[in-house]
Structures are given as structure tokens and as C-alpha cells.
Amino acid sequence: MIHLENVSVEYPNGVRALKDVSISIYKGEFIFLVGSTGSGKSTFLSLLYRGMLPTQGKVVVDGEDITSLKPSAVPYLRRKLGIVFQDFKLLPQKNVWENMAFALRVIGTDPREIRRRIGDVLELVGLTHRCDSFPHQMSGGEQQRAAIARALINHPTLLIADEPTGNLDPATSWEIMQLLEQINVRGTTVLVATHDSQIVDRMKKRVIQLEAGVVVRDVNKGMYEHCEA
Ligand code: ADP
Ligand code: MG
């Protein structure tokens, strides 16, 4: 699903955010990308949706070397991906339904299909009763559910989440992670950047750890930082 080959990223200011990273992620996996602030997690994720290009190396997503994509092809890549951020990024003047419908109308989806898909994703994330609500009328957890629903609307093969629980309390964070796990069980590959060690320890998934732009650990059924039993 994802293959990074000798990938380095250097920002214009000279910061080397990723250093010779090589890693493979397979279809159907649930993966935590962990590491302290500034270790390169967001940079790693950004490469996958062509938020940026690597300074060196190859980035393959769903069988395609996306470093050579023409800019005009980038929207097609993003349609295969669902992306979720810490700050939800819902459109504040639109209600939940309109936040979902917006992206589908842009690509000319049939109105009946729009209704069907929105109904499905809202049910999946447990927000059917909130379809008329505006972001500011909802709790953080509900807003993140809405953002996840929107990310799923195109049936992505890969869901990328950058610190999705960063603004949420522990109980709500756990609910959101269980939702992401449920989405994974239904067949979507899920990649979550987080520094929430309690959640990572509890979920026992593959853990890829970055430190200063280098992959320092890659373990199955991992814990955040402790030794493996
Ligand atoms: P994380 O998500 O793990 O906190 P980032 O990928 O955001 O890490 O950052 C990795 C490193 O790159 C940090 O040193 C950060 O300061 C630097 N960095 C991130 N974005 C930029 C940018 N747009 N310009 C310059 N440096 C950046
Ligand atoms: Mg980050």
C-alpha cells in the first residue's frame, strides 16, 4: 500500500525532517506512527498525500510512484485517500451534511448517490442525528467523527490521521481510536500519527517510531516505548 525508499526531506530552512527512511506498509494494516514533537511524523504523512515532495527517494502509494505525479493528477490521488487532522478542518459555515456533500458535488456525484453515501458514513461514525448541526454546536469528539465521516465518503483504500485525538480528552480519544479500528476491520488501511502513549499501548498494533527523522523502531503488536515482553 505504501512504500518509502530511501526518502529524505529537507525543508528550505535546512531542517532535515526525514533522513533516509525506507519502510513498507501493507494493505489492511493498522499502524501507529509515533515519536516526539518534531520527529517527522507530519512530514511523513504529508509525503503520502503529496502535501510535499521528498528531497530524495521514492514514495509509492497504492502501487504508484507519486513523486512523479503531475500536479493535475494529485486530486485523483487524494480521492483514494482519507485524511484526518487534529483540528478537524470542518468548514465552519456548513452543517455536517453540507460538509460531507461539498466534496462530492465538486466532483459531480449524482445527488441520490450523495444522499446514500452521506447516510452510510454518518451511520458508521454514529452521527446520523447530527446531520443538521454546525461544527461549533458539537463537541470535539463529534467534530472528529464528522471529519472521519468526510474522510470516508470516497471509500478510500488508505485513511491517514495526523494526531486525530490531539484535542480530545482520554475517554473521547479512546472512542475515536475504536472507531478507526472498526474502519480498519472493514478493510481500510489506517495510519495514525500520535504521541498518545496510553492509546498506543492499549491497542497493540504495529508501531513505527521516528526520532529526529529516522525510523528507530518498527514492531508488531507494539507498545509506545517500553521494551517488548
Ligand atoms: P512532528 O509531526 O513529528 O511533530 P514534523 O514533521 O512536523 O514533526 O516536523 C519535523 C521537523 O521539520 C521539525 O524539526 C520541524 O520543526 C520541521 N518542519 C516542519 N515543517 C516545516 C516547514 N514547513 N518548514 C521548515 N521546517 C519544518
Ligand atoms: Mg505533527
Side-chain angles (χ1 to χ4, degrees):
M1 174 61 63
I2 298 169
H3 188 60
L4 266 62
E5 217 174 281
N6 304 110
V7 168
S8 296
V9 170
E10 184 174 332
Y11 284 106
N13 62 359
V15 172
R16 292 183 66 206
L18 293 176
K19 299 169 189 161
D20 198 29
V21 171
S22 295
I23 205 134
S24 293
I25 290 171
Y26 302 97
K27 248 193 174 73
E29 282 195 289
F30 187 118
I31 297 197
F32 283 117
L33 183 63
V34 305
S36 48
T37 303
S39 58
K41 302 181 299 295
S42 294
T43 302
F44 183 111
L45 298 185
S46 176
L47 287 171
L48 305 178
Y49 56 85
R50 263 291 291 261
M52 68 176 72
L53 283 163
T55 319
Q56 263 176 39
K58 200 166 140 181
V59 180
V60 177
V61 175
D62 203 16
E64 190 172 24
D65 180 358
I66 63 163
T67 54
S68 55
L69 279 186
K70 283 188 262 166
S72 61
V74 171
Y76 295 94
L77 166 71
R78 295 204 182 139
R79 249 172 255 169
K80 290 197 286 187
L81 309 175
I83 310 173
V84 173
F85 296 98
Q86 175 172 356
D87 58 358
F88 322 132
K89 297 202 190 301
L90 297 167
L91 300 168
Q93 290 91 344
K94 293 186 190 294
N95 66 21
V96 167
W97 180 277
E98 289 296 326
N99 263 281
M100 309 290 134
F102 178 71
L104 291 173
R105 288 205 196 102
V106 168
I107 59 173
T109 310
D110 174 75
R112 263 177 317 182
E113 175 70 6
I114 291 179
R115 276 199 295 279
R116 195 181 64 78
R117 286 212 211 169
I118 295 177
D120 286 352
V121 291
L122 287 183
E123 193 182 332
L124 176 64
V125 304
L127 273 192
T128 307
H129 62 295
R130 280 299 208 174
C131 67
D132 290 334
S133 300
F134 288 84
H136 72 272
Q137 297 171 321
M138 300 194 294
S139 68
E142 287 173 328
Q143 290 183 61
Q144 192 59 294
R145 283 176 189 276
I148 292 168
R150 183 181 56 183
L152 293 175
I153 204 105
N154 282 321
H155 303 304
T157 45
L158 172 64
L159 184 68
I160 294 168
D162 195 352
E163 307 270 5
T165 62
N167 287 345
L168 306 175
D169 62 72
T172 308
S173 296
W174 181 241
E175 286 170 19
I176 291 292
M177 281 300 169
Q178 286 184 304
L179 174 60
L180 293 176
E181 184 172 38
Q182 191 191 334
I183 289 162
N184 173 247
V185 167
R186 293 163 58 109
T188 308
T189 308
V190 176
L191 175 56
V192 183
T194 183
H195 56 248
D196 188 332
S197 56
Q198 280 192 345
I199 281 185
V200 173
D201 289 353
R202 214 166 147 188
M203 300 268 292
K204 299 195 171 42
K205 303 292 186 185
R206 180 175 168 195
V207 178
I208 298 170
Q209 185 173 348
L210 286 169
E211 279 314 326
V214 177
V215 174
V216 294
R217 274 169 90 238
D218 180 0
V219 292
N220 286 317
K221 299 193 177 169
M223 305 285 274
Y224 191 84
E225 252 166 1
H226 326 288
C227 300
E228 298 306 302

